[in-house]
Amino acid sequence: MSDTEPPDGGGAAPGHGDGTSPDDPTVATQRPVAPSDSATGPEVVGPGEAVEGGDVEDGEPGSAPTAATTARSSPDVVLAVDIGGTKFAAGLVTARGELIDRARVEVERDVVPEAHYTSLAGMVDGLIERARDQHGAKVRAVGVGAAGPVSRGFETVSPVNIPAWRNFPLRARLQETTQLPVYGDLDAKALALAEGWLGAAQGHPNFCALTVSTGVGGGVVLDGELLDGSTGNAGHIGHIIVEPGGRRCGCGAQGCLEAEASGLAIEAITGRSPTEPTYEIMQRTGRLVGLASATVCNALDLSLVVVGGSVALGFAATFFHSAQVALDEHAKLSYSRGARITPSRLADSGPLIGAGAVGWRGLRRARRGLS
């Protein structure tokens, strides 16, 4: 399967805002980005993809299960986990990208690493029980999207905005808790998979996804491949310098996009929650994100930037207009001129659908004997 070759059949899952059914043939050319076996990272599975030992057995990726299969089997799901700076979220994601249940807990401040994990594990255990008891579903794996940095293979995580977790062995701990295979990636890379699968980047083999929330993350897809980099941290666009000599970032540099436009930065700059922004701060945040987006489009020959996250989506039209103006002003090369910035189509479901995509992708590669 080539990097951009779509799974056959199936379109966006119901309820994702495009008005199509999963089998609507009119969306046949708008398919998930599916990084190939030759890519550095594992590939994303398409809707309905069979997994080794699973209950979905209908052959081609994206094909809908037959009535007989549906009648004799419970649905397979991935337990999706999103590790953010202020919350942990989890959900159940089917192979068609449907988010059928979800939960969240707040991240406590100034607690020991084990207290964070105890909170996360309680939520995970509860969702596994609900999958079985309420949904009649079989959990096949755990997929995780986490703020970074992360180590190669997702063995450890060190989210900048969770100081207690430095080189925390999240993958091993979740495997111990759930007795399931665990696959993980950066949260914004997971969002890129989700947007290429079911969201605003369907049919686009080259794009960037950004999350502007408590922190700022990014994921880049080139020629259908989700970029990993040597340590798995490719796409950290939050650390592009947008204000030389500006505020000190958690990474140690000054003027990073994350230090100037993240939720934590906005609160530090204005003394008020990013849920209560002024018009000027919405404009400024959009402008800085547009500036960083132009840098990425110019450097990587991109024409689409998909932006999610609570800050960006909360600031809405004011943010996106300002971001597009800045992008237009700074993307002037023949190939980047006309690049556009657009909201995530999956809205607040995107991070969990992305984590689910990471899990389905991992299962598919495990079935093929790929690392």
Side-chain angles (χ1 to χ4, degrees):
M1 185 175 185
S2 71
D3 294 349
T4 56
E5 181 183 348
D8 296 334
H16 289 157
D18 63 357
T20 61
S21 70
D23 302 306
D24 186 344
T26 65
V27 294
T29 59
Q30 297 185 356
R31 288 290 164 251
V33 170
S36 72
D37 297 340
S38 62
T40 304
E43 67 184 345
V44 68
V45 69
E49 176 68 29
V51 296
E52 187 68 27
D55 298 317
V56 182
E57 302 173 343
D58 290 284
E60 289 303 313
S63 60
T66 65
T69 299
T70 303
R72 72 172 183 266
S73 63
S74 61
D76 280 0
V77 296
V78 159
L79 175 62
V81 177
D82 176 46
I83 304 296
T86 59
K87 70 170 183 357
F88 297 146
L92 303 174
V93 179
T94 72
R96 299 181 68 79
E98 296 165 303
L99 180 61
I100 63 172
D101 204 341
R102 66 195 302 175
R104 62 177 282 168
V105 293
E106 301 305 311
V107 173
E108 297 181 71
R109 297 285 104 188
D110 303 319
V111 298
V112 297
E114 198 59 30
H116 286 312
Y117 186 74
T118 298
S119 177
L120 174 63
M123 178 177 59
V124 164
D125 286 340
L127 270 173
I128 290 176
E129 289 181 9
R130 277 157 43 189
R132 179 188 65 239
D133 299 339
Q134 296 183 23
H135 302 287
K138 186 174 184 179
V139 180
R140 305 297 305 177
V142 179
V144 186
V150 301
S151 67
R152 188 72 176 178
F154 202 74
E155 297 303 327
T156 64
V157 299
S158 304
V160 169
N161 295 316
I162 305 180
W165 273 7
R166 288 294 173 267
N167 297 315
F168 186 78
L170 183 60
R171 182 178 185 180
R173 294 299 303 276
L174 283 172
Q175 285 176 332
E176 180 183 14
T177 295
T178 64
Q179 297 299 300
L180 293 166
V182 176
Y183 308 98
D185 213 328
L186 292 172
D187 53 358
K189 289 170 67 183
L191 180 65
L193 288 178
E195 291 295 329
W197 182 12
L198 299 168
Q202 288 185 66
H204 291 270
N206 299 282
F207 67 93
C208 171
L210 286 178
T211 57
V212 185
S213 188
T214 305
V216 178
V220 177
V221 173
L222 285 182
D223 298 328
E225 292 187 10
L226 179 64
L227 300 188
D228 281 336
S230 62
T231 65
N233 286 284
H236 260 92
I237 292 161
H239 299 285
I240 288 177
I241 304 298
V242 292
E243 291 280 11
R247 299 184 69 253
R248 180 73 62 183
C249 181
C251 74
Q254 288 180 268
C256 294
L257 180 63
E258 181 162 292
E260 300 287 345
S262 67
L264 288 179
I266 290 167
E267 190 165 2
I269 292 168
T270 65
R272 58 197 297 171
S273 168
T275 61
E276 301 174 347
T278 63
Y279 179 74
E280 288 74 19
I281 200 68
M282 290 190 290
Q283 277 194 316
R284 178 180 184 271
T285 305
R287 177 178 62 80
L288 294 176
V289 170
L291 177 60
S293 297
T295 298
V296 175
C297 289
N298 287 334
L300 299 179
D301 191 5
L302 303 180
S303 60
L304 178 65
V305 179
V306 181
V307 183
S310 58
V311 170
L313 299 179
F315 289 3
T318 301
F319 168 92
F320 282 98
H321 174 73
S322 182
Q324 186 65 58
V325 169
L327 179 58
D328 291 342
E329 288 176 352
H330 296 281
K332 296 290 190 182
L333 295 166
S334 60
Y335 56 83
S336 62
R337 189 182 304 121
R340 61 189 180 91
I341 192 163
T342 188
S344 161
R345 185 184 297 175
L346 303 176
D348 66 348
S349 297
L352 286 176
I353 294 173
V358 170
W360 285 116
R361 179 183 67 171
L363 280 172
R364 184 178 186 177
R365 285 182 63 86
R367 177 170 61 89
R368 295 184 175 185
L370 301 172
S371 59

